[in-house]
Amino acid sequence: MRLSQEFRNRTLFCIAFGLALVAFSGCSDSGSETAGATSETTNGIAVIAFDGAHKPIPQARVTLYQRSGAVPVESPSEDITQFLPSHVSALETATADDSGMVQFETRLDECQNARCYVEGIAGEDSSLMVWTRLKAADSTMNEIELLPSVSLTVRFGAAASDSAVSDVSLMLDATPYWARNEGGEFVFSHVPSGKYTVLMWNEPVADVSLDAGTSVDTLMHIWDLTREFVFEDFDDGDSLNNLAKTYKNYGWYYIASGTATWIKPDSVGGFGGAIVDGARGKHLSLQFDLGDSGYVLLGTHLGLDTGYYDLSALTAIRMKVRGDCDFSFALEHYKDLGDNNFQKSLWHATADTTWKEIVFRPGREKLNASVYQVEWKNIAHEIGFVSIFASSGSYLEIDEIVFEGVEF
C-alpha cells in the first residue's frame, strides 16, 4: 500500500475492476448508438457479478448509486451544518440470480447525465466487494468483479487530550463508506479495494490506495494535531539517530553473536557503509551470515549512558522494511541489570521481499521474563536504547523509523 498526502486536493480517484454494464433499449430496425443495446425490450441497466476466478456470484447484493453535488451534513460535535465535496445516494438495490445477473429499472439516460456507481457485496461478513463507476456509454463489457474486501484503520497520532478529533467522522470521498472515531482510531471494517480520497468533513486528508484482501493500518497527518517524531530516516547518511545528534559518540552500533557475522556494515566501512542510495532515497541495507546458530544486533543510544527519555506518550513505532528475515525491535531501559542486560519491551515481525510498513504498538509486545522482556508500561518513562535483532535470513533493509504520539 502506498499513501500520497495531498492536502486541499479534492481529486477523486475511483478504480474500476472490469466493470461492465449492459444498457437495454427498445427494439429498433436501424440499430441504436445507445450503449449496450440488446434484444430485450427494456430501458433498464443490467450487471453481471463475477468473482476473481470469473465465476458468477449468485445472491450478490448489488446497489446502483448516483453522485450529486455538495449536500449539507450536520456535524455530530457541533450544532452547525457542514458541506461535503461529494455525496452519493442509492437508487436501487437488487440480488443477483443464479447467473450473477442483476437488472435495474433505472434508465441508462439517468446515468449519462450524472455519475453513477455500482457497489457489489457478497460472502459472509462482506468478504467480497467492489465499488466502481458505471461507464454509462460503454457497451463493450458487462461484468463487475468482486474481490476480497479491505480493512482500513486510519490514525492521526493526535494526543489523547486533543478534542478536535474526538467526535468527528471520516469518509471515503464519493462513496457510502464512513468511519467514526473509536479510541483514537477510525476503522473501516470492510471496504472495496481501490483508490480513494479520505475526507474529514469537507477537507481532504490524504489519498489512499487499497489492495484487495489486505488489512491496512496507516498514519495520516491532520493539520497541527498529528504528533510524531522521525527517529531516523537515514537520508543524512551519518551514523547518528535524530535523538543522539547532540551526543557525537553515541550513534548506531552493530554486534554479531554466536556463529553470526556482519557482511554490511563491516569493520572497514563502519555503519555509514550500510547506508545506500536507491529509489526511496537513502536507506539502511544490512547483510549478514548467521552461520549455524547466531543473531545480529543493531543498536543505538538515545543519549548518554546515564540518560534516558520519557516515551510514555508513545502510541506506535512505524518503520518501512524489506528483507528475508524474522527480526525484533526493542526499546530498552537505561539501567544495566548486569552482564550488559537491560529490561526491554520487544516486538517481533517478519520482513517481506517488497517494501512494507511495519507497525509496533505498546500493549502488544512479547513478554518473557527470562530474557528481560517486560510490559511497556513498566519502563516507558526511562528508555535509553533502541535495538534491532535479526535471527534468520541474510538481509534486512530499513527506511524511516517513526515514533508516533511523541514529540521532542
Side-chain angles (χ1 to χ4, degrees), residues 308-358:
Y308 58 84
Y309 281 88
D310 183 351
L311 299 184
S312 55
L314 185 73
T315 56
I317 306 112
R318 296 176 179 271
M319 54 192 301
K320 298 177 177 66
V321 301
R322 179 172 66 178
D324 66 349
C325 65
D326 295 324
F327 72 98
S328 299
F329 185 94
L331 295 175
E332 304 190 51
H333 196 265
Y334 77 101
K335 285 186 178 180
D336 188 343
L337 299 177
D339 297 325
N340 206 32
N341 291 311
F342 300 82
Q343 287 187 320
K344 63 181 66 66
S345 288
L346 181 140
W347 296 264
H348 183 75
T350 300
D352 201 329
T353 54
T354 59
W355 285 101
K356 68 177 181 180
E357 183 182 54
I358 301 291

Coordinates of all heavy atoms in Angstrom, one line a residue, residues 308-358:
Y308 N 18.2 9.0 29.8 CA 17.1 8.3 29.2 C 16.0 9.3 28.7 O 16.1 10.5 29.0 CB 16.4 7.4 30.3 CG 16.0 8.1 31.5 CD1 14.7 8.7 31.6 CD2 16.8 8.1 32.7 CE1 14.3 9.3 32.7 CE2 16.4 8.8 33.8 CZ 15.1 9.4 33.8 OH 14.7 10.0 35.0
Y309 N 15.0 8.8 28.0 CA 13.9 9.7 27.5 C 12.6 9.1 28.0 O 12.5 7.8 28.1 CB 13.9 9.7 26.0 CG 15.0 10.7 25.4 CD1 16.3 10.3 25.2 CD2 14.6 12.0 25.2 CE1 17.2 11.2 24.7 CE2 15.5 12.9 24.7 CZ 16.8 12.5 24.4 OH 17.7 13.4 23.9
D310 N 11.7 9.9 28.3 CA 10.3 9.5 28.7 C 9.5 9.3 27.4 O 9.2 10.3 26.7 CB 9.7 10.6 29.6 CG 8.3 10.1 30.1 OD1 7.8 9.1 29.6 OD2 7.8 10.9 30.9
L311 N 9.2 8.1 27.0 CA 8.4 7.8 25.8 C 7.1 7.2 26.2 O 6.5 6.5 25.4 CB 9.2 6.8 25.0 CG 10.6 7.2 24.4 CD1 11.1 6.1 23.5 CD2 10.5 8.5 23.7
S312 N 6.6 7.6 27.4 CA 5.3 7.0 27.8 C 4.1 7.5 27.0 O 3.0 6.8 27.0 CB 5.0 7.4 29.3 OG 5.1 8.8 29.5
A313 N 4.3 8.6 26.2 CA 3.2 9.0 25.3 C 3.2 8.2 24.0 O 2.3 8.5 23.1 CB 3.3 10.5 25.0
L314 N 4.1 7.3 23.8 CA 4.2 6.6 22.5 C 3.0 5.8 22.2 O 2.5 5.1 23.1 CB 5.4 5.7 22.6 CG 5.8 4.9 21.3 CD1 6.4 5.8 20.3 CD2 6.7 3.7 21.7
T315 N 2.5 5.9 21.0 CA 1.3 5.2 20.6 C 1.6 4.1 19.6 O 0.9 3.2 19.4 CB 0.2 6.1 20.0 OG1 0.7 6.8 18.9 CG2 -0.3 7.0 21.1
A316 N 2.8 4.2 18.9 CA 3.2 3.2 17.9 C 4.6 3.5 17.4 O 5.1 4.7 17.5 CB 2.3 3.2 16.7
I317 N 5.3 2.5 17.0 CA 6.6 2.6 16.2 C 6.3 2.2 14.8 O 5.7 1.1 14.6 CB 7.7 1.8 16.8 CG1 7.9 2.1 18.3 CG2 9.0 2.0 16.1 CD1 7.5 0.9 19.2
R318 N 6.6 3.0 13.9 CA 6.4 2.7 12.4 C 7.7 2.6 11.7 O 8.6 3.5 11.9 CB 5.5 3.7 11.8 CG 4.1 3.7 12.3 CD 3.2 4.8 11.7 NE 1.9 4.7 12.3 CZ 0.9 4.0 11.8 NH1 1.1 3.3 10.7 NH2 -0.3 4.0 12.4
M319 N 7.9 1.6 10.9 CA 9.1 1.6 10.1 C 8.9 0.9 8.8 O 8.0 0.0 8.7 CB 10.3 0.9 10.9 CG 9.9 -0.5 11.4 SD 11.1 -1.1 12.6 CE 12.6 -1.2 11.7
K320 N 9.5 1.3 7.8 CA 9.4 0.6 6.4 C 10.5 -0.3 6.3 O 11.7 0.0 6.5 CB 9.4 1.7 5.3 CG 8.2 2.7 5.5 CD 8.3 3.7 4.4 CE 7.1 4.7 4.5 NZ 7.0 5.4 5.7
V321 N 10.2 -1.6 5.9 CA 11.3 -2.6 5.9 C 11.1 -3.5 4.6 O 10.0 -3.6 4.0 CB 11.2 -3.5 7.1 CG1 11.4 -2.8 8.4 CG2 9.9 -4.3 7.1
R322 N 12.2 -4.1 4.2 CA 12.3 -5.1 3.2 C 13.3 -6.1 3.6 O 14.4 -5.7 4.1 CB 12.6 -4.5 1.8 CG 12.6 -5.5 0.7 CD 12.7 -4.7 -0.7 NE 14.0 -4.0 -0.8 CZ 14.3 -3.3 -1.9 NH1 13.5 -3.3 -3.0 NH2 15.4 -2.7 -2.0
G323 N 13.1 -7.4 3.3 CA 14.1 -8.4 3.7 C 13.6 -9.8 3.6 O 12.5 -10.1 3.1
D324 N 14.4 -10.7 4.1 CA 14.1 -12.2 4.0 C 14.2 -12.8 5.4 O 14.5 -14.0 5.5 CB 15.0 -12.9 3.1 CG 16.5 -12.9 3.5 OD1 16.8 -12.2 4.5 OD2 17.3 -13.7 2.9
C325 N 14.0 -12.0 6.5 CA 14.3 -12.5 7.8 C 13.2 -12.2 8.8 O 12.3 -11.3 8.6 CB 15.6 -11.9 8.3 SG 15.5 -10.1 8.6
D326 N 13.2 -12.9 9.9 CA 12.5 -12.5 11.1 C 13.4 -11.6 11.9 O 14.6 -11.7 12.0 CB 12.2 -13.7 12.0 CG 11.3 -14.7 11.3 OD1 10.4 -14.3 10.5 OD2 11.4 -15.9 11.5
F327 N 12.7 -10.5 12.5 CA 13.5 -9.6 13.3 C 12.7 -9.1 14.4 O 11.4 -9.2 14.4 CB 14.0 -8.4 12.4 CG 12.9 -7.5 12.0 CD1 12.7 -6.3 12.7 CD2 12.1 -7.7 10.9 CE1 11.7 -5.4 12.3 CE2 11.1 -6.9 10.5 CZ 11.0 -5.7 11.2
S328 N 13.3 -8.5 15.4 CA 12.7 -7.9 16.6 C 13.1 -6.5 16.7 O 14.3 -6.1 16.4 CB 13.0 -8.7 17.8 OG 12.5 -10.1 17.7
F329 N 12.2 -5.7 17.2 CA 12.5 -4.3 17.6 C 12.3 -4.1 19.0 O 11.3 -4.5 19.6 CB 11.6 -3.4 16.8 CG 11.9 -1.9 16.9 CD1 12.8 -1.2 16.0 CD2 11.4 -1.2 18.0 CE1 13.0 0.1 16.2 CE2 11.7 0.2 18.1 CZ 12.5 0.8 17.2
A330 N 13.3 -3.5 19.7 CA 13.2 -3.4 21.2 C 13.5 -1.9 21.6 O 14.4 -1.3 21.1 CB 14.2 -4.3 21.8
L331 N 12.8 -1.5 22.6 CA 13.1 -0.2 23.3 C 13.5 -0.7 24.7 O 12.7 -1.4 25.4 CB 11.9 0.7 23.4 CG 11.4 1.3 22.0 CD1 10.2 2.1 22.2 CD2 12.5 2.1 21.4
E332 N 14.7 -0.3 25.2 CA 15.3 -0.8 26.4 C 15.5 0.3 27.4 O 15.8 1.4 27.2 CB 16.6 -1.5 26.0 CG 16.5 -2.5 25.0 CD 17.8 -3.4 24.8 OE1 18.3 -3.9 25.8 OE2 18.3 -3.5 23.7
H333 N 15.3 -0.2 28.7 CA 15.6 0.7 29.8 C 17.0 1.1 29.9 O 17.9 0.4 29.4 CB 15.2 -0.1 31.1 CG 15.0 0.8 32.3 ND1 16.0 1.0 33.2 CD2 13.9 1.5 32.7 CE1 15.6 1.8 34.2 NE2 14.3 2.2 33.9
Y334 N 17.3 2.2 30.5 CA 18.7 2.7 30.5 C 19.6 2.0 31.5 O 20.8 2.1 31.4 CB 18.7 4.2 30.7 CG 18.5 4.6 32.2 CD1 19.6 5.0 33.0 CD2 17.2 4.7 32.7 CE1 19.4 5.4 34.3 CE2 17.0 5.1 34.0 CZ 18.1 5.5 34.8 OH 17.9 5.9 36.1
K335 N 19.0 1.3 32.5 CA 19.9 0.7 33.6 C 20.3 -0.7 33.3 O 19.5 -1.6 32.9 CB 19.1 0.7 34.9 CG 19.0 2.1 35.6 CD 18.4 2.0 37.0 CE 18.3 3.3 37.6 NZ 17.7 3.2 39.0
D336 N 21.6 -0.9 33.4 CA 22.2 -2.2 33.1 C 21.9 -3.1 34.3 O 22.3 -2.8 35.5 CB 23.7 -2.1 32.9 CG 24.4 -3.4 32.5 OD1 23.8 -4.4 32.7 OD2 25.5 -3.3 32.0
L337 N 21.3 -4.3 34.1 CA 21.0 -5.2 35.2 C 22.2 -6.1 35.5 O 22.1 -6.9 36.5 CB 19.8 -6.1 34.9 CG 18.5 -5.3 34.6 CD1 17.4 -6.3 34.2 CD2 18.1 -4.5 35.8
G338 N 23.3 -6.0 34.8 CA 24.4 -6.8 34.9 C 24.7 -7.6 33.7 O 23.8 -8.1 33.0
D339 N 26.0 -7.8 33.3 CA 26.4 -8.6 32.2 C 25.8 -8.0 30.9 O 25.4 -8.7 30.0 CB 26.0 -10.0 32.3 CG 26.7 -10.7 33.5 OD1 27.9 -10.3 33.7 OD2 26.1 -11.6 34.1
N340 N 25.6 -6.7 30.9 CA 25.1 -6.0 29.7 C 23.7 -6.4 29.3 O 23.3 -6.5 28.1 CB 26.0 -6.2 28.5 CG 25.9 -5.1 27.5 OD1 25.7 -3.9 27.8 ND2 26.1 -5.4 26.2
N341 N 22.9 -6.6 30.3 CA 21.5 -7.0 30.1 C 20.6 -5.8 30.6 O 20.8 -5.2 31.6 CB 21.1 -8.2 30.9 CG 21.7 -9.5 30.3 OD1 21.7 -9.7 29.1 ND2 22.4 -10.3 31.2
F342 N 19.6 -5.5 29.8 CA 18.7 -4.4 30.1 C 17.2 -4.9 30.0 O 16.9 -5.7 29.1 CB 18.9 -3.3 29.1 CG 20.3 -2.7 29.1 CD1 21.3 -3.3 28.5 CD2 20.5 -1.6 29.9 CE1 22.6 -2.8 28.5 CE2 21.8 -1.0 29.9 CZ 22.9 -1.7 29.2
Q343 N 16.3 -4.4 30.8 CA 14.9 -4.7 30.7 C 14.5 -4.0 29.4 O 14.9 -2.9 29.0 CB 14.1 -4.2 31.8 CG 14.3 -5.0 33.1 CD 13.3 -4.5 34.2 OE1 13.1 -3.3 34.4 NE2 12.7 -5.4 34.9
K344 N 13.6 -4.7 28.6 CA 13.2 -4.2 27.3 C 11.8 -4.6 27.0 O 11.2 -5.6 27.4 CB 14.1 -4.8 26.2 CG 14.1 -6.3 26.1 CD 15.0 -6.9 25.0 CE 16.5 -6.7 25.4 NZ 16.9 -7.5 26.6
S345 N 11.1 -3.7 26.2 CA 9.9 -4.1 25.5 C 10.2 -4.4 24.1 O 10.9 -3.7 23.4 CB 8.9 -2.9 25.6 OG 8.4 -2.8 26.9
L346 N 9.7 -5.6 23.7 CA 10.2 -6.2 22.4 C 9.0 -6.6 21.5 O 8.1 -7.2 22.0 CB 11.1 -7.3 22.6 CG 11.7 -8.0 21.4 CD1 13.2 -8.4 21.7 CD2 10.9 -9.3 21.1
W347 N 9.1 -6.2 20.2 CA 8.1 -6.6 19.2 C 8.7 -7.4 18.1 O 9.9 -7.2 17.8 CB 7.4 -5.3 18.7 CG 6.7 -4.5 19.6 CD1 5.3 -4.5 19.9 CD2 7.2 -3.5 20.5 NE1 5.0 -3.6 20.9 CE2 6.1 -3.0 21.2 CE3 8.5 -3.0 20.7 CZ2 6.3 -1.9 22.2 CZ3 8.7 -2.0 21.6 CH2 7.6 -1.5 22.4
H348 N 8.0 -8.4 17.6 CA 8.5 -9.3 16.6 C 7.8 -9.1 15.2 O 6.6 -8.8 15.2 CB 8.4 -10.7 17.0 CG 9.1 -11.7 16.1 ND1 10.4 -11.8 16.0 CD2 8.5 -12.5 15.2 CE1 10.7 -12.8 15.1 NE2 9.5 -13.2 14.6
A349 N 8.5 -9.2 14.1 CA 7.9 -9.1 12.8 C 8.7 -9.9 11.8 O 9.8 -10.3 12.1 CB 7.8 -7.6 12.4
T350 N 8.1 -10.1 10.6 CA 8.7 -10.8 9.5 C 8.8 -9.9 8.3 O 7.7 -9.4 7.9 CB 8.0 -12.1 9.2 OG1 8.0 -13.0 10.3 CG2 8.7 -12.8 8.0
A351 N 10.0 -9.7 7.8 CA 10.1 -8.8 6.6 C 9.7 -9.5 5.4 O 9.7 -10.8 5.3 CB 11.6 -8.4 6.5
D352 N 9.3 -8.8 4.4 CA 8.9 -9.3 3.1 C 9.9 -8.8 2.0 O 10.6 -7.8 2.3 CB 7.5 -8.8 2.7 CG 6.8 -9.6 1.6 OD1 7.6 -10.2 0.8 OD2 5.6 -9.8 1.6
T353 N 10.0 -9.5 0.9 CA 10.9 -9.1 -0.1 C 10.5 -7.8 -0.9 O 11.2 -7.3 -1.7 CB 11.1 -10.2 -1.1 OG1 9.8 -10.7 -1.6 CG2 11.8 -11.4 -0.5
T354 N 9.3 -7.3 -0.6 CA 8.9 -6.0 -1.1 C 8.7 -5.1 0.1 O 8.4 -5.5 1.2 CB 7.5 -6.1 -1.9 OG1 6.5 -6.6 -1.0 CG2 7.7 -7.0 -3.1
W355 N 8.9 -3.8 -0.1 CA 8.8 -2.8 1.0 C 7.4 -2.8 1.6 O 6.4 -2.9 0.9 CB 9.1 -1.4 0.5 CG 10.5 -1.1 0.2 CD1 11.2 -1.1 -1.0 CD2 11.5 -0.8 1.2 NE1 12.5 -0.8 -0.9 CE2 12.8 -0.6 0.5 CE3 11.5 -0.7 2.6 CZ2 13.9 -0.3 1.1 CZ3 12.7 -0.4 3.2 CH2 13.9 -0.2 2.5
K356 N 7.3 -2.8 2.9 CA 6.0 -2.7 3.6 C 6.3 -2.0 4.9 O 7.4 -1.9 5.4 CB 5.4 -4.0 3.8 CG 6.1 -4.9 4.8 CD 5.3 -6.2 5.0 CE 5.9 -7.1 6.0 NZ 5.2 -8.4 6.2
E357 N 5.2 -1.3 5.4 CA 5.3 -0.6 6.6 C 4.9 -1.6 7.8 O 3.9 -2.3 7.7 CB 4.3 0.6 6.6 CG 4.4 1.4 7.9 CD 3.4 2.6 7.9 OE1 2.2 2.3 7.7 OE2 3.8 3.7 8.1
I358 N 5.8 -1.6 8.8 CA 5.5 -2.4 10.0 C 5.1 -1.5 11.1 O 5.7 -0.4 11.3 CB 6.8 -3.2 10.4 CG1 7.3 -4.1 9.3 CG2 6.5 -4.0 11.7 CD1 6.4 -5.3 9.0

